[in-house]
Amino acid sequence: MIKKCLFPAAGYGTRFLPATKAMPKEMLPVVNKPLIQYGVEEALDAGLTEISIVTGRGKRALEDHFDISYELENQIKGTDKEKYLVGIRKLLDECSFSYTRQTEMKGLGHAILTGRPLIGDEPFAVVLADDLCVNLEGDGVLTQMVKLYEQYRCTIVAIQEVDPQETNKYGVISGELIADDLYRVRNMVEKPAPEDAPSNLAIIGRYILTPDIFELIKQTEPGKGGEIQITDALMKQAKNGCVIAYKFKGQRFDCGGAEGYIEATNFCFENFYKTGKAY
Ligand code: UTP
C-alpha cells in the first residue's frame, strides 16, 4: 500500500514572474484554491495520507496553509463563511504534513532526493502541483496510477501526447505498448528538440516511484541546465524494464505558465466553482 506523497515545491517558478517573486508558485489560486491544495486533494482521494513537501526559501506560506488559523476560524465561526474552510479542514484532519527544505535548487531529481528522509524505504507518489490534473469522468489521476502500481509493482510515470513541436518542454519516452494506454519504457530523453524526440509522449507531473530511485538519483550527474534530472535516474530503472508509462484518463493543465493557468481557471470555474464543488 502506498501511503506517502511527495510534493517538490522548491522551484523558483521563473515562468510566472513577477507573481512568484515573493510567493510560492504552488500557492497561486486557481479560482479560490491554491494549486497545492488541488494536488493534496488528489493524493487523499488516492488514499495517500502522508504528505511530504520539499520547500525552499520564501515558501513559508505553504506550511501556513496546511495549518489551523485560530483567529480566522474564530472570526467566521457560526457564519455561512465556515463552508469555505470545509475542504482544507478535511485535509488537516485526514492527512499528516511534513516538510524539508531544499537549500540549493539543483533540479527536480535533487528535490526528490532531498525528500528521502521523509519517505524512507517505500514506494511513494510524486506530485508537481503546477500540473493540475482532473478527471470529471471517474478516478483521479493518482488513483488510476496507484491501482496500476498495485498490479505492476514498478515505477509508473504519467504521460500525455503533446504537440510534436513542444517536446523540448518535457521528458519524452518511447517503449512498447503492453496494454491499453500502457507502455513499458525503453527510452527517455529530457527536453529533446522535436527532431530528436523518440515520440510525442511526454511525462507530466505525476509519478509513482520505487525507493531504489534515491540511489539512482545519487549516482546521476547534473544534466541539461546543470540540474539533476529525474529523467536520467528513471532511465536507469527503465533499462531493467521497471518503468511503465501510463496515458492517464483526464485532463492536465500546465499551471506553471499563464496559458495553462488561465485554461485551468476557466475549467475549474465552470466545473467546480459554479457547481458548488469548490470548497
Ligand atoms: P519546474 O521545471 O516547473 O521549475 O519544476 P520551476 O522552478 O518550478 O518553474 P520555472 O520553470 O522556473 O517557471 C518542476 C517541479 O520541481 C520543483 C518545482 O517546484 C516544480 O514543482 N523543483 C524544481 C524543486 O522543488 N526544486 C528544484 O530545484 C527544481
Side-chain angles (χ1 to χ4, degrees), residues 123 144-145:
Q144 297 167 40
M145 293 174 75

Side-chain angles (χ1 to χ4, degrees), residues 228-262:
I228 298 178
Q229 304 289 353
I230 187 64
T231 317
D232 296 338
L234 285 170
M235 191 55 219
K236 294 177 197 159
Q237 283 187 327
K239 286 212 168 92
N240 298 322
C242 297
V243 178
I244 284 178
Y246 170 53
K247 216 171 352 147
F248 63 93
K249 294 184 175 55
Q251 273 166 282
R252 165 242 175 202
F253 300 95
D254 173 13
C255 296
E259 211 176 300
Y261 177 78
I262 296 299

Side-chain angles (χ1 to χ4, degrees), residues 7-17 20 25-26 54-56 59 102 104-112 114 127-131 169 190-191 207 227-229 254 256-257:
F7 288 75
Y12 292 119
T14 53
R15 281 177 296 152
F16 232 122
L17 283 168
T20 47
K25 169 168 77 171
E26 297 74 14
V54 179
T55 69
K59 301 270 186 170
Q102 189 187 18
E104 287 176 283
M105 308 335 162
K106 293 196 217 160
L108 176 58
H110 182 260
I112 292 174
T114 304
V127 169
L128 307 186
D130 53 343
D131 269 347
K169 295 183 184 165
E190 180 63 21
K191 301 194 173 74
Y207 309 74
E227 295 191 333
I228 298 178
Q229 304 289 353
D254 173 13

Side-chain angles (χ1 to χ4, degrees), residues 11 48 61 95 111 147 175 187 213 215 224 244:
L48 313 176
C95 300
K147 285 182 180 168
N187 193 14
I213 198 75
E215 283 305 313
K224 235 176 197 157
I244 284 178

